[in-house]
Amino acid sequence: MGFLESNIWHNIIWIGGWIFLSYMVLVILFYTGMLVISFAQLRRQYQLDDREPYQDILQVSYTKPVSILVPAYNESAGIYGSVRSLLSIEYPEYEVIVINDGSKDDTLEKLINRFQMVEINKVVQLKINAQPIKAVYQSKIYGNLFVIDKENGGKADALNAGINASNYPYFCSLDGDSILERDAFLKVMKPIIDSDGDVIGSGGSIRIANGCKIENGEMVKIGLSTKPIVIMQVIEYLRAFLMGRVGMSRHNLLLIVSGAFGVFSKKWVVEAGGYNHNTVGEDMELVVRLHRLIKERKEKKRIVYVADPVCWTEAPESTKFLRRQRSRWHRGLFESLWIHKKLFFNPKYGSIGFISMPYFLFVEFLGPVIELFGFIIMIFSLFLGGIYIEFAILLFLISFLYGSLYSMMAVLLEEWSLRKFPKVTDIIRLFFYSFTESLWYRPLTVLWRCEGIWQTIRRKNGWGEMIRKGVSNES
């Protein structure tokens, strides 16, 4: 390589490194602000004994009844335990509607046999378009348990069918492998009840059930998996929910309510057109569309996140399925941003257009590309020697701060506020693994998310296969 070519490469590395460094500093400043807001919010929420206010909801006459929708496609492994957990929750009035979305396994047969379901004549009004319903079943044991058997149309279509069949003004979307804590609904519905209709959506925390002891749909003992790939997902969820969503929710900037556990006003969702069939990120797309509708109607409605109500779900235990999940999530993120690109920097949509949408584009969607570029710069800097080695060390320290340190803070935030893990050894393990995140786990997720961008460019669609073992020990 000639002197001129060598000089050009040195300049590229140097300029690229400073671009990466500047970007990471801005992101770190943003996350630091979010961390401060989260600390303050959680401190206000947990400085008092809040058990009694939640219990009072069981007695009040103005509690809102809820329809719990559980879309199920090939969920035989965990569906019984999930439904059992729903039938034992603490809440005054609710119904459980399982939507069998054309499963090819024995999901429907297991529900019919285990809950003594019988076919009923039920008129379902078509408020939102969905695939045809073949039959509706009701349990002879539990009068508030229904199963809808319909033709396959995907998760969004199943949820739309469930909304059409629901009887109550609020609905909750739950994954078929989810296990709820008994008081989760009391906590996730409290903001809706207290706001007298101003809150039209509320989401709770999602935690990893792998490693926990669950029997007949009940959380018996909270534990931690022995598999490093699962432990890192536990840390990742803590960071995303306790730091990201607490801070965003505080200022009504939340664009994601997890499809695994979220409550919405049926009236607003129907007026928004229901779930979108043409995206793999239907949960985020719906929330963005609701914000858009709120702003266009000049209403002062809010969508909030509540840290304490917990829904436990099964996480992928192999890199194969985790890779598919993260690539799919990233495709869904882009689809939601692209569908609602009109919101970007549009004064009509206020802080959603000027803060939330740009954040999800430049930090969440394009962030992996910048990080991958930074990793490449670090590697080249080590080979160039001299001052570039010091530069590579600086870039690594910034990456460590953004990756590992914030994850460590999320673990401390969990222990300081919610304290879901009873064993001190579990907290120590989480803290240790979060320290290693920047060394192996984050580079992997960066590659998988970049793969999602490549799939978006190639217009690859579909969910990809996800094999579930089931987190509940059924009996």
Side-chain angles (χ1 to χ4, degrees), residues 31 33 102 118 144 176 231 263 288 400 419 462:
Y31 269 105
V118 294
N144 62 337
I231 295 174
V263 176
V288 178
F400 177 83
R419 296 185 178 180

Side-chain angles (χ1 to χ4, degrees), residues 264-282:
F264 295 97
S265 163
K266 184 167 74 173
K267 170 181 174 292
W268 276 87
V269 170
V270 169
E271 289 181 6
Y275 286 90
N276 190 332
H277 297 234
N278 300 315
T279 174
V280 293
E282 71 287 325

Side-chain angles (χ1 to χ4, degrees), residues 152-223:
N152 179 261
K155 183 179 178 182
D157 189 84
L159 287 169
N160 287 340
I163 292 170
N164 288 335
S166 64
N167 297 305
Y168 295 142
Y170 289 87
F171 73 88
C172 171
S173 62
L174 278 175
D175 283 348
D177 63 330
S178 300
I179 301 293
L180 280 179
E181 294 187 352
R182 288 178 61 87
D183 60 355
F185 265 99
L186 294 176
K187 294 176 179 179
V188 81
M189 284 297 295
K190 191 173 188 298
I192 292 174
I193 295 169
D194 291 346
S195 73
D196 194 27
D198 284 344
V199 173
I200 63 170
S202 177
S205 289
I206 309 300
R207 295 294 181 89
I208 304 299
N210 309 53
C212 299
K213 186 178 181 181
I214 299 171
E215 294 181 351
N216 299 322
E218 293 285 341
M219 177 62 68
V220 176
K221 184 179 180 182
I222 296 173

Side-chain angles (χ1 to χ4, degrees), residues 293 343 365 396-397:
L293 189 60
L343 276 64
F365 182 71
F396 174 76
L397 290 175

Side-chain angles (χ1 to χ4, degrees), residues 53-307:
Y54 291 123
Q55 286 298 312
D56 288 346
I57 297 177
L58 286 169
Q59 311 301 326
V60 299
S61 59
Y62 55 85
T63 299
K64 313 292 185 184
V66 178
S67 299
I68 304 173
L69 309 182
V70 185
Y73 177 74
N74 294 345
E75 296 283 0
S76 176
I79 192 65
Y80 175 71
S82 296
V83 173
R84 277 288 300 266
S85 75
L86 296 176
L87 294 170
S88 61
I89 63 171
E90 295 179 359
Y91 200 75
E93 188 176 2
Y94 67 96
E95 63 180 357
V96 178
I97 302 175
V98 182
I99 307 101
N100 180 52
D101 190 41
S103 295
K104 297 177 181 178
D105 63 4
D106 64 341
T107 297
L108 179 62
E109 290 75 15
K110 181 172 285 188
L111 288 167
I112 290 173
N113 294 332
R114 300 299 287 271
F115 294 106
Q116 298 182 30
M117 314 291 298
V118 294
E119 189 171 350
I120 61 171
N121 292 319
K122 179 178 174 63
V123 177
V124 177
Q125 186 178 354
L126 197 65
K127 300 173 185 175
I128 310 170
N129 287 331
Q131 289 293 322
I133 292 174
K134 295 188 284 187
V136 179
Y137 300 87
Q138 184 176 17
S139 171
K140 292 194 292 183
I141 309 172
Y142 305 97
N144 62 337
L145 173 60
F146 300 88
V147 171
I148 295 174
D149 184 28
K150 62 179 287 293
E151 294 182 8
N152 179 261
K155 183 179 178 182
D157 189 84
L159 287 169
N160 287 340
I163 292 170
N164 288 335
S166 64
N167 297 305
Y168 295 142
Y170 289 87
F171 73 88
C172 171
S173 62
L174 278 175
D175 283 348
D177 63 330
S178 300
I179 301 293
L180 280 179
E181 294 187 352
R182 288 178 61 87
D183 60 355
F185 265 99
L186 294 176
K187 294 176 179 179
V188 81
M189 284 297 295
K190 191 173 188 298
I192 292 174
I193 295 169
D194 291 346
S195 73
D196 194 27
D198 284 344
V199 173
I200 63 170
S202 177
S205 289
I206 309 300
R207 295 294 181 89
I208 304 299
N210 309 53
C212 299
K213 186 178 181 181
I214 299 171
E215 294 181 351
N216 299 322
E218 293 285 341
M219 177 62 68
V220 176
K221 184 179 180 182
I222 296 173
L224 196 61
S225 173
T226 58
K227 298 184 178 181
I229 199 75
V230 176
I231 295 174
M232 293 310 303
Q233 290 177 77
V234 172
I235 296 166
E236 195 176 23
Y237 276 47
L238 288 177
R239 175 171 169 162
F241 284 94
L242 292 185
M243 285 180 58
R245 298 193 188 183
V246 169
M248 301 283 283
S249 173
R250 179 72 177 83
H251 299 284
N252 199 26
L253 298 171
L254 193 66
L255 292 191
I256 297 180
V257 171
S258 176
F261 184 31
V263 176
F264 295 97
S265 163
K266 184 167 74 173
K267 170 181 174 292
W268 276 87
V269 170
V270 169
E271 289 181 6
Y275 286 90
N276 190 332
H277 297 234
N278 300 315
T279 174
V280 293
E282 71 287 325
D283 44 2
M284 177 180 179
E285 195 281 327
L286 174 64
V287 175
V288 178
R289 189 151 28 95
L290 287 172
H291 275 297
R292 183 172 180 171
L293 189 60
I294 290 167
K295 295 295 184 182
E296 290 173 351
R297 294 187 177 182
K298 298 181 179 179
E299 296 270 6
K300 292 185 177 179
K301 304 295 182 180
R302 293 183 294 127
I303 298 172
V304 303
Y305 164 73
V306 188

